[in-house]
Amino acid sequence: MTTVPAAVITCSNRSAAGERADDSGVLLSSLLVDVGCSVGTRVVVPDDVDAIRAAVRSAVDGGARLVITTGGTGLRLASRERIPTSVLSRGVAGTIGATFVVTLPGSPGGVRDGMAVLAPLLGHVLDQLAGGDHRPGGGV
């Protein structure tokens, strides 16, 4: 996968108010760099729909091809064997134009679990969004 412009948006009232460090956003940025992304935007916003919407829109308008939020919700089915209540977190993934947008939980463990699921898929998903064709033999 070539270097992909990415944005990390942490959605947390406490982190936005400076009451808690943004450990999950820092970790997510590092994990994205490890899989070939260039994190040009990392912001912390309150857990507020308008603030989150504005941050996502700004990242997309700024050229991010991948936007991942951390906080409040997430992709946790992969860890349901270890953490049965993880199914209560709702992950959302979708697209805005050619940008892939994913929500992950706010905990560092949830970020690690979510990225373990996403990392092998990112190259294929982003290639498809950029108009690429399926690879011979199918799959990723």
Side-chain angles (χ1 to χ4, degrees):
M1 179 169 75
T2 61
T3 302
V4 173
V8 170
I9 302 168
T10 299
C11 309
S12 166
N13 289 331
R14 288 184 285 171
S15 293
E19 298 170 3
R20 181 177 69 189
D22 180 22
D23 295 336
S24 295
V26 171
L27 173 63
L28 180 55
S29 295
S30 175
L31 293 172
L32 286 170
V33 168
D34 289 348
V35 297
C37 294
S38 170
V39 180
T41 299
R42 186 172 74 79
V43 297
V44 178
V45 298
D47 222 350
D48 170 80
V49 171
D50 291 333
I52 296 166
R53 181 181 293 130
V56 170
R57 175 51 56 201
S58 177
V60 171
D61 290 348
R65 293 201 47 231
L66 173 64
V67 176
I68 301 183
T69 68
T70 174
T73 183
L75 180 66
R76 297 301 298 277
L77 290 179
S79 63
R80 72 176 174 251
E81 302 301 320
R82 291 182 294 119
I83 308 166
T85 57
S86 68
V87 297
L88 299 175
S89 292
R90 295 181 312 273
V92 177
T95 60
I96 299 173
T99 301
F100 187 40
V101 182
V102 180
T103 62
L104 293 179
S107 70
V111 166
R112 277 189 210 92
D113 290 347
M115 281 301 296
V117 172
L118 285 174
L121 305 173
L122 285 177
H124 180 70
V125 169
L126 294 169
D127 182 60
Q128 292 293 295
L129 288 173
D133 199 1
H134 290 282
R135 296 181 182 151
V140 285

